Amino acid sequence: MKKSAIRFAALAVGALAVAGPAAADLPPLEMKERYKVGFPQMESNNPWRIAETKSFEDTAEGCGWDLVTTDAAGSAAKQVADVDSMIAQGIDVLFLPPREEKPLIPAVMRARAAGIPTFLVDRSVDPNVARAGEHYVAFLGSDFVDQGRRVAEWTLANFEGEEGIIIELEGTTGSSPANDRRKGFDDVMAMHDNMTIVASQTGDFSRDLGRQVMETLLQAHPDVNIVYAHNDEMAIGAIQALELAGRKPGEDVLVVSIDGTRDALQAIIDGKMGVTVESSPFFGPLACETMKRYANGEEIEPWVKVEDRIFTIENAADHIDEAY
Ligand code: GYE
């Protein structure tokens, strides 16, 4: 008993010595057998979110987590309240997927003030206000600008028409993937005179809203021949709207998006969708590994970057069985 307490103390001191001034400001994490871990999910209305929550649940036992999860049902305010209640319950570590870039910042600050190391997972917050290594430990996730850029480049290489008339379905307004996926794609397209984004509107990353927004935008822009959706759920919604209007996605409209869900891979196999750049929801193992490194006194890089694959007709069938 006594011996292990001394060992923990030595490790904690070691952590401060190795970590340097910025990281030393962050709440430390002691090495122990079990941790009370908070994962306040933002919503559970799509396969991506469900797969992510399941990944945390599947990781819990092996990583020694007593996992507390909540579902904010699409409300940033509820997600803030969920974090507050986790702080009150005395969690040791917080893995937070912030629904939007700004509203979750007070929750990040309160977790830090309460001495709880926080890792942002899958989405980030406004870097002008809250910073990795200072207010939270690190962001674990994909490069969303690059995802948008890769979709644009694939589209340029594979679009067979002369003039691209593009409708863009944006993700949740104010979320980091929506902001960055738009930037990555739009910046590339802006360099090509034959490509015009005629409308860009939010579908809140949801299949249903994606379909509704696509129905409306189709009326105003019947000549559309490219649809770029910020996630697969909205792409599937757009395909439904196009088919309902008598269009032939994959033939007269090129549909491109991001994530790599089972339905999207199936749509690619069926010839209705061109590409989806991967954005993996399986964060559990990476969260476990990063937390252990932090508890071990390692300095964590501000952005623990996830590498994304790309799925097209070339490989969709090889990956559909592992999809969600
Ligand atoms: O692409 C989308 C989900 O934050 C990376 O959020 C994530 C995105 C993902 O709802 O489908």
Side-chain angles (χ1 to χ4, degrees), residues 43 46 48-49 122-123 144 177 181 205 230-231 259 279:
E43 58 212 358
N46 71 57
W48 199 101
R49 290 286 142 204
D122 94 66
R123 291 188 192 176
F144 303 129
R181 286 171 184 172
F205 281 130
H230 287 187
N231 79 342
D259 269 354
S279 200

Side-chain angles (χ1 to χ4, degrees), residues 82-121:
D82 289 343
V83 173
D84 283 338
S85 102
M86 287 178 181
I87 294 171
Q89 286 174 56
I91 53 167
D92 300 306
V93 186
L94 175 64
F95 290 108
L96 172 66
R99 189 170 194 274
E100 291 142 56
E101 283 199 325
K102 290 185 200 294
L104 268 299
I105 289 176
V108 171
M109 300 302 187
R110 284 199 286 274
R112 184 184 179 290
I116 299 164
T118 296
F119 298 83
L120 301 185
V121 287

Side-chain angles (χ1 to χ4, degrees), residues 184-260:
F185 182 90
D186 291 12
D187 285 356
V188 171
M189 288 307 179
M191 296 187 296
H192 295 269
D193 290 343
N194 64 329
M195 292 283 159
T196 313
I197 300 169
V198 291
S200 190
Q201 208 171 298
T202 184
D204 203 22
F205 281 130
S206 119
R207 181 184 296 212
D208 233 38
L209 209 63
R211 180 181 46 74
Q212 289 170 39
V213 170
M214 189 66 210
E215 274 170 11
T216 309
L217 292 178
L218 250 182
Q219 317 249 322
H221 306 283
D223 53 348
V224 59
N225 51 23
I226 297 171
V227 174
Y228 166 45
H230 287 187
N231 79 342
D232 285 343
E233 280 297 279
M234 294 190 297
I236 299 294
I239 288 172
Q240 292 170 346
L242 287 162
E243 287 180 331
L244 217 68
R247 303 290 301 270
K248 294 212 158 25
E251 284 177 38
D252 57 12
V253 188
L254 183 58
V255 180
V256 293
S257 84
I258 295 166
D259 269 354

